[in-house]
Amino acid sequence: MIITSSMPTARALEPPTPRTGTIRVASIDVEWTKNYKIKNGQRPFCYSVAWLDLPADRTPDLSTTPFEWTSVYVDEPGEMDALIRHAAACVASAAETATIITGHQFCADLSVLQANAPTDAVPILEAAREQWRQRRDADPESSHYVDTRYDAGHLLTGTSRRLVDVCTELGLDVTQPELLKKSMPAWHRSWVEDGDAEGRERVSVLNLRHSVSTAYVAALTAGLAQRPDTGLNVNQVLAEGAKGAWSWLETPTFTALLEEPCPSASAALSPSKAPKPRAKRRTSTR
């Protein structure tokens, strides 16, 4: 497997040491091939986790909040079981070390992982799916799930719950240059069939952007953080936080996004997205 991380290689598959006096958000996103013509035709091939430690005694600006991350990608299709084991271990570590475990429609990620899981990983994923189902009755002071597709409605006025639309409404610019020429499955095929490293890197960056932006939405949902009034360009966050990790981040297509004003800053001022009072810190995920 190809493992890329902000942490030292020896600790890349372990959660970072929690910062003192913080509330941890662990955000996980999984990518899979899609074949709806056969039962359980979805096959996971990539996942990432972003670890965000937020101070418990104040509401920080997300633009100045550091995070750690790890990305895992299969080097060949036969490594799927190993990837699922690592993803399951990541979910278990999140439950042990994070107050909030999040994903965008994370029930689907967990379902695909479990449908393909080797026997030893199934109990972990079953427990995670049950914890996700019970998230709205969970103790908000203990480890619990916040699903940004279903639990951020109190911050939103628009009807779409696609991650890109949720982020845009909340002032997070998540422009996806990876999808300009091909879809995510097509880029993955170019890696598997032709060894196109750029295709794999595009998917890895897209996947990490999902994890990081979902962590930000979860933090805003729980009232644990705020974003700058002018918006937050998540691609700038990735360029800095994952500097040197992938050559794709250095291409003109990607770097062209880094100097532009955040489109979400003006979008947030449109009549349909008029500014609201800042959300108070929630005491539950209801």
Side-chain angles (χ1 to χ4, degrees), residues 92-94 114 117 120 128 170 172 179-180 203 218 263:
S93 296
Q114 185 177 338
D120 55 309
L170 295 178
L172 304 173
L179 302 181
L180 289 176
V203 175

Side-chain angles (χ1 to χ4, degrees), residues 9 20 31 39 41 86 88 93 101 126 163 167 171 179 183 202 207 223-225 237 243 245-246 263 272-274:
T9 303
T20 302
E31 305 294 347
K39 183 178 180 180
H86 284 298
S93 296
I101 309 159
E126 283 182 338
L163 179 59
C167 287
L179 302 181
S183 66
R202 283 177 178 244
N207 179 244
L224 297 174
V237 172
K243 187 175 183 179
W246 295 289
S272 63
K273 300 179 177 69

Side-chain angles (χ1 to χ4, degrees), residues 9 40 63 67 87 91 122 151-153:
T9 303
N40 294 330
S63 64
F67 65 94
V91 170
V122 170
D151 301 331

Side-chain angles (χ1 to χ4, degrees), residues 35 137 179 240-241 274:
N35 184 347
D137 295 319
L179 302 181
E240 181 63 29

Side-chain angles (χ1 to χ4, degrees), residues 191-286:
W191 161 245
V192 173
E193 297 173 3
D194 304 321
D196 181 2
E198 183 179 304
R200 170 178 54 78
E201 291 194 359
R202 283 177 178 244
V203 175
S204 295
V205 172
L206 180 73
N207 179 244
L208 182 59
R209 185 186 295 107
H210 289 168
S211 290
V212 172
S213 58
T214 297
Y216 288 167
V217 174
L220 295 172
T221 297
L224 297 174
Q226 56 186 319
R227 57 99 169 148
D229 291 338
T230 55
L232 178 59
N233 186 334
V234 177
N235 284 310
Q236 290 178 341
V237 172
L238 292 180
E240 181 63 29
K243 187 175 183 179
W246 295 289
S247 298
W248 168 245
L249 296 176
E250 307 297 329
T251 62
T253 302
F254 188 89
T255 58
L257 301 173
L258 306 183
E259 301 302 325
E260 296 296 324
C262 176
S264 299
S266 58
L269 300 178
S270 65
S272 63
K273 300 179 177 69
K276 302 177 181 179
R278 186 168 295 151
K280 295 181 179 180
R281 182 168 298 180
R282 293 169 60 81
T283 56
S284 75
T285 55
R286 292 179 186 272

